Amino acid sequence: MSRSGGTADDPGDPQLAAKKEAGAAAADRFVRSGMRLGLGSGSTAIWAVHRIAELLDAGKLTDIAGVPTSPATEELANQLGVPLTTLDEYPRLDVDIDGADEVSPDLDLIKGGGGAHLREMVVAQASDHLVIVVDDTKLVPALGATHALPVEVLPMAERPEREFLESLGASVVKRTTPDRGVFLTAQGNPILDAAFGPIANPAALKLRLDERAGILAVGLFIGYRPTVLVASADGAQRVRTLSPAS
Ligand code: A5P
């Protein structure tokens, strides 16, 4: 497969065009030669990987290496010829570009729609700067408004953790694959999607869930202070930037 893609001329699918535009803009604006990068997962972050490959091909970027946040991103980077590295080699990264399922007005996030949120959180915590790329359907007034909260659990703890989540008011569904098999993360664990509705205090909820031994990763990214690049799915405006309040 040749290196490809990254432009936004998909008139037939405005949301796809917006995802491409946001992902490519992140690479254009924040990736510089010599950087060590976090490479996020999902249908928006992959367009940053495509753009990085284009810039490498064009000789506009050199000496880049990325840590992938999922097997899918690792495979894509290998196909496109984007050099990879590990956190063993580089425990600190310059910039991490990733997607999100929801972005709150405080720039807190729900992630994990693809089940990669544990590795995504590790890579985000290792990075000096988190850049989140989304189309504008991801902006919500409160986390939980449109998406269930992905909760990766230890297989033997699935039932008690489900009951704990339900005791907090969530409707819980075990994630399945498109062919109705059990979805397992890259670590081999199931995910419970916990629908809370709008979450009044995401930080407090995260603390409660993090106390549970059987819960391995909660898709709440609180206080990461990302730069958020938002592309409009109606094509009305270019990519706009949301920055954390100083
Ligand atoms: C992967 O598990 C997720 O955290 C993704 O980053 C998130 O779901 C956004 O994905 P899309 O860009 O495909 O919506």
Side-chain angles (χ1 to χ4, degrees), residues 98-147:
D98 207 342
D101 302 308
E102 290 187 347
V103 179
S104 77
D106 293 335
L107 308 187
D108 293 326
L109 315 169
I110 283 183
K111 290 178 52 52
H117 52 290
L118 175 53
R119 294 184 190 205
E120 290 175 334
M121 194 169 279
V122 170
V123 170
Q125 290 180 358
S127 299
D128 293 340
H129 187 189
L130 175 60
V131 178
I132 291 294
V133 288
V134 292
D135 65 80
D136 59 3
T137 65
K138 305 293 185 62
L139 303 181
V140 295
L143 294 183
T146 62
H147 278 75

Side-chain angles (χ1 to χ4, degrees), residues 135-219:
D135 65 80
D136 59 3
T137 65
K138 305 293 185 62
L139 303 181
V140 295
L143 294 183
T146 62
H147 278 75
L149 181 61
V151 179
E152 180 170 348
V153 296
L154 195 68
M156 57 97 60
E158 184 184 322
R159 181 161 178 191
E161 299 308 354
R162 168 191 281 268
E163 290 179 0
F164 181 73
L165 290 163
E166 287 171 344
S167 78
L168 299 180
S171 296
V172 180
V173 173
K174 184 176 180 177
R175 192 175 297 184
T176 56
T177 60
D179 59 358
R180 311 304 297 165
V182 175
F183 177 95
L184 295 176
T185 66
Q187 293 71 242
N189 301 307
I191 286 185
L192 301 178
D193 285 309
F196 284 94
I199 299 168
N201 189 339
L205 177 63
K206 174 99 168 62
L207 280 177
R208 289 195 77 176
L209 298 181
D210 282 349
E211 284 174 357
R212 300 288 300 186
I215 290 181
L216 304 175
V218 178

